[in-house]
Amino acid sequence: MVLFGLLLLPILLLLLYFIVRPRPINIPIKNRHVFITGGSMGIGLAIAKQAASEGARISLLARSVDQLQKAKESICQAYEVEVSIFSADVRDYDAVERAINEAGSIDVLVVNHGVYYLEEFETQGLDVMKTMIDVNLMGSFNVIKAALPLMKDRKDKEPASIALMSSMAGQVGTYGFAAYSATKFGLRGLAEALQQEVLENNIHLSLISPPVTETLGFEQARKTMPEITKIISSTSTEMKAEEVGKITIQGIKSGSFIIPCKLDGRALAIATAGLSPQRCFIMASLEVVFVGLFRFVALFLQWNWYGIIKKKKRKFKKKPVTASLIH
């Protein structure tokens, strides 16, 4: 049996070498135009600085003019690159289109903007859910829809990239993330389908899946997230925005479809590979060989999470009802 496995492995590797699609690609960053939404702070700004450090021309889009100006100054102080800023709400297609047309042809589009509010689905307001859908999902449609014609008509015809900022919450749903995860799962469907449409234009999709990241947005969300969500989220260590920014640019340059940010993220990417594109035949081999093992690990994690939920729910039921102030 062991001998059979050893003989089968090189055959598997050879087969995967020929069938993985899309084919491997290198996407240059130096002297190219990188356009980043949500680029005035947090992960977006970190991505911008990493791209600037590699000689890219930077365009940032966000709502706050003041924050955009601060971001521009911080990049220009550190790197000798051209930085343009554009104020627009991604929910407003016309405003986004004007900004992108003014910025000019885009080589690397990083769709990084997003909002999240963590709460149980039953108690979360429909207006809050709609905000997340409008910003995270429809806002991404607006940005890509506006940028795609210019990306297809770019002059140099070198490989281009559209990178979508998803989340580990876009790979697995967890307590308190129902509405937010729905928007991030939606981005995966968008990326998988769009890759098939734009590959002949030498445009390559990436989906970044960071864990909890130390940003102002998460600090705000932490204040109101359910206790169960805090416990489950604590099983994955937080990352700094600068780390995510560096990994994002590295992943874009290699044309990776799924860009995980940590070892557990890599395992989750293998466990949830499904029918997603895969450029690297070695990673494809790991997915084929280890998918069963990681499915077992995933079931163990689910067992642990459901145990936490059950225990906490029982504890909440035992607490006496007390009056509370409505703020």
Side-chain angles (χ1 to χ4, degrees):
M1 183 63 72
V2 175
L3 180 61
F4 177 74
L6 292 175
L7 291 173
L8 185 63
L9 184 59
I11 296 173
L12 172 65
L13 290 173
L14 184 62
L15 177 62
L16 290 172
Y17 176 79
F18 285 105
I19 68 171
V20 292
R21 290 294 185 278
R23 302 303 290 171
I25 195 81
N26 290 313
I27 299 174
I29 295 292
K30 188 175 181 179
N31 297 324
R32 306 195 81 200
H33 183 199
V34 178
F35 190 104
I36 305 165
T37 67
S40 63
M41 61 177 66
I43 293 175
L45 180 55
I47 294 170
K49 288 182 175 179
Q50 182 62 36
S53 74
E54 301 193 20
R57 176 166 72 90
I58 306 296
S59 288
L60 305 177
L61 183 143
R63 289 183 297 173
S64 171
V65 176
D66 290 342
Q67 288 294 339
L68 281 166
Q69 189 60 45
K70 289 178 183 178
K72 177 179 179 177
E73 290 171 1
S74 68
I75 296 171
C76 291
Q77 286 173 0
Y79 310 102
E80 294 183 358
V81 297
E82 181 183 342
V83 180
S84 301
I85 56 175
F86 303 92
S87 175
D89 189 322
V90 294
R91 293 171 290 186
D92 183 345
Y93 176 78
D94 291 337
V96 169
E97 186 179 42
R98 284 194 298 270
I100 287 175
N101 286 338
E102 185 180 342
S105 182
I106 296 169
D107 301 303
V108 176
L109 175 65
V110 183
V111 186
N112 167 76
H113 64 269
V115 294
Y116 55 105
Y117 308 97
L118 307 181
E119 189 178 351
E120 286 94 343
F121 183 87
E122 185 177 9
T123 59
Q124 191 165 54
L126 286 173
D127 57 333
V128 176
M129 295 177 179
K130 186 176 185 302
T131 295
M132 283 190 280
I133 293 169
D134 288 346
V135 174
N136 299 356
L137 200 51
M138 285 306 303
S140 298
F141 291 168
N142 289 340
V143 171
I144 296 171
K145 189 84 168 175
L148 201 52
L150 292 177
M151 296 188 73
K152 285 186 174 182
D153 291 338
R154 67 194 185 282
K155 293 179 181 179
D156 64 16
K157 300 302 180 183
E158 286 192 87
S161 171
I162 298 175
L164 299 169
M165 185 58 65
S166 184
S167 165
M168 286 175 69
Q171 296 172 293
V172 58
T174 51
Y175 192 101
F177 280 84
Y180 177 72
S181 283
T183 66
K184 294 302 184 178
F185 271 77
L187 291 181
R188 176 159 182 164
L190 166 62
E192 289 187 1
L194 186 59
Q195 178 61 95
Q196 296 180 17
E197 295 184 21
V198 301
L199 185 59
E200 290 304 311
N201 302 103
N202 207 10
I203 300 174
H204 307 274
L205 271 290
S206 291
L207 198 66
I208 307 105
S209 300
V212 170
T213 306
E214 296 176 12
T215 63
L216 180 61
F218 182 72
E219 288 305 313
Q220 294 296 324
R222 194 199 299 271
K223 295 175 182 178
T224 58
M225 74 170 59
E227 188 65 28
I228 292 173
T229 306
K230 291 180 182 178
I231 296 170
I232 293 177
S233 296
S234 67
T235 60
S236 178
T237 55
E238 296 180 18
M239 291 186 72
K240 295 186 180 299
E242 292 73 19
E243 296 175 290
V244 177
K246 184 175 182 179
I247 291 168
T248 295
I249 292 299
Q250 289 174 341
I252 288 172
K253 285 166 40 177
S254 67
S256 301
F257 181 75
I258 298 292
I259 304 178
C261 294
K262 293 197 309 172
L263 186 60
D264 57 350
R266 175 67 67 185
L268 187 56
I270 293 173
T272 61
L275 291 174
S276 62
Q278 177 55 264
R279 296 183 184 278
C280 176
F281 80 97
I282 294 176
M283 279 306 305
S285 304
L286 293 174
E287 290 169 357
V288 171
V289 172
F290 289 105
V291 65
L293 172 62
F294 287 140
R295 175 56 177 161
F296 174 78
V297 174
L299 291 172
F300 178 80
L301 284 173
Q302 290 287 348
W303 170 79
N304 182 45
W305 291 345
Y306 278 102
I308 291 170
I309 294 166
K310 186 176 182 179
K311 181 180 179 181
K312 285 295 177 181
K313 289 284 187 179
R314 284 178 176 175
K315 184 179 179 181
F316 294 154
K317 286 179 181 179
K318 290 179 180 179
K319 286 185 176 180
V321 177
T322 57
S324 61
L325 295 174
I326 299 176
H327 298 280

